[in-house]
Amino acid sequence: MATISSPFRHADTQGDYGYASVILAERLRMGLADALNPLDLAAVAYMGDLGGSGSDTVRVPFADGLGFDASMTTLATETTAVPFGSFTSGNDTITIAAHGLGYQSSYLARMLALPAEQVVHQFDSLVGMITNSWIKTFRAKVATTGATFSTAVGGAGTTLDVDDLLDIVADYNETDGADPSQAVLMLHPVQLSQLRDSLRSETAFQNSIADFAAVQGVRGRVYPNFLGLGIDVGVTSDVTTSGGAYQGFMYSRGALMWASANPDRIAPAVPHVTVPEFGLLVQQGMDQNGQQVQSTEAFAYFGVAKADASVAFGQRLISTT
């Protein structure tokens, strides 16, 4: 019991008539997250479905020294024998792995959940969220693989600047067979900020308020034809760090590859959904041993690898953390 004197204040009545906080029943706000989808860049080449193949590894063959890589020889006379050429053969491999994610809810939590909270308990709602989790996992695999390109531009002790960007674009454009319209550059958000800071001192931008504003106002995660250089830029926090440096990377489409295994053959005896092109299976687990819980379990079967340097361009663009 409490005596409430005039003026009646919320702070005085809250203990008996209200709560220190309430839950908004109509909406569950989601935490901020990196939402870059590498598939939007059409950057990583899909090499096939291993379902029913008898192997967890796909071999991608390549040949060097044929076609545009081979010149014809001028024959000395009309009876000169034609010289026979040769070529180099090789193959890249992609091995798929199993990836998993699961959630459990108690029966009591499911019964008492507010309408907005049901999204974290209901199987149908979690399926959509887990698809996004697949994209996050795939993105991390792409970033980890891109960080293994052997050649690097920039330095672990310096910030990324416009000269570094122009240097790696020049390397790409000077590579025979590299289509200037097919380049993809993946950067960490801090690297993009470093690059934007570098552009402040560029005379061309200092003399044009419109151009300066266009560069400094860059927002989002995907930038087609960045600065008119003919490259598409994707920005993600999944770009890795090593040796005190962000391991950004630039590559031609096809330099990174992936493969999956269609899970339709599994057909578990519980409610489930498959996304064959992702190698993704999401199933609803049932209560076991009287634990009063229900689970949602996701499994994905895919792998990411890089192509041989002789058939595709790939370099790192690094800068200090």
Side-chain angles (χ1 to χ4, degrees):
M1 298 288 290
T3 300
I4 309 300
S5 302
S6 295
F8 304 149
R9 301 181 308 162
H10 168 71
D12 297 328
T13 60
Q14 177 178 286
D16 290 323
Y17 298 153
Y19 297 94
S21 63
V22 296
I23 299 175
L24 185 63
E26 291 78 18
R27 184 182 180 193
L28 181 69
R29 300 183 66 194
M30 303 302 295
L32 293 172
D34 183 349
L36 174 71
N37 183 354
L39 297 177
D40 290 340
L41 293 168
V44 186
Y46 182 64
M47 291 300 177
D49 172 19
L50 274 69
S53 68
S55 173
D56 63 356
T57 300
V58 59
R59 178 178 292 179
V60 183
F62 62 85
D64 195 13
L66 295 172
F68 282 113
D69 272 340
S71 298
M72 303 180 81
T73 301
T74 301
L75 304 180
T77 71
E78 60 183 296
T79 58
T80 299
V82 62
F84 293 99
S86 62
F87 72 95
T88 302
S89 65
N91 67 82
D92 300 307
T93 59
I94 311 171
T95 300
I96 65 168
H99 312 277
L101 176 67
Y103 299 100
Q104 281 187 325
S105 296
S106 72
Y107 288 172
L108 186 62
R110 291 168 61 85
M111 284 188 290
L112 301 182
L114 288 164
E117 191 186 353
Q118 289 291 340
V119 69
V120 301
H121 298 292
Q122 297 299 328
F123 177 73
D124 291 344
S125 301
L126 286 172
V127 168
M129 293 186 182
I130 287 173
T131 300
N132 291 338
S133 295
W134 182 96
I135 292 172
K136 174 178 174 58
T137 307
F138 178 76
R139 186 179 65 223
K141 296 294 183 181
V142 169
T144 300
T145 305
T148 64
F149 290 133
S150 58
T151 302
V153 174
T158 58
T159 58
L160 187 64
D161 62 29
V162 67
D163 291 332
D164 296 327
L165 176 64
L166 294 177
D167 285 345
I168 197 170
V169 170
D171 286 349
Y172 184 89
N173 291 334
E174 292 165 9
T175 300
D176 289 339
D179 185 345
S181 67
Q182 297 294 305
V184 175
L185 174 63
M186 300 287 280
L187 295 175
H188 190 279
V190 174
Q191 288 186 294
L192 180 63
S193 295
Q194 292 172 351
L195 183 59
R196 196 158 45 207
D197 288 342
S198 170
L199 288 167
R200 292 179 181 176
S201 60
E202 292 297 313
T203 304
F205 292 107
Q206 290 175 345
N207 293 335
S208 172
I209 295 298
D211 289 344
F212 180 82
V215 171
Q216 298 304 318
V218 165
R219 297 289 186 273
R221 292 294 184 180
V222 178
Y223 310 100
N225 192 23
F226 187 67
L227 300 182
L229 295 173
I231 61 174
D232 294 339
V233 174
V235 179
T236 172
S237 296
D238 281 330
V239 165
T240 64
T241 60
S242 177
Y246 293 113
Q247 302 295 313
F249 52 97
M250 181 170 162
Y251 58 104
S252 59
R253 286 180 169 87
L256 296 177
M257 313 171 293
W258 72 289
S260 64
N262 186 340
D264 280 345
R265 290 170 174 240
I266 299 174
V270 292
H272 66 278
V273 173
T274 63
V275 185
E277 62 271 28
F278 285 3
L280 177 63
L281 165 71
V282 186
Q283 68 181 26
Q284 180 175 323
M286 308 308 292
D287 177 35
Q288 296 181 356
N289 302 322
Q291 295 178 340
Q292 304 179 67
V293 296
Q294 184 167 298
S295 62
T296 298
E297 303 156 350
F299 306 92
Y301 306 90
F302 69 93
V304 178
K306 65 180 179 180
D308 188 84
S310 67
V311 296
F313 177 92
Q315 290 187 6
R316 288 175 292 133
L317 184 59
I318 66 175
S319 65
T320 184
T321 57

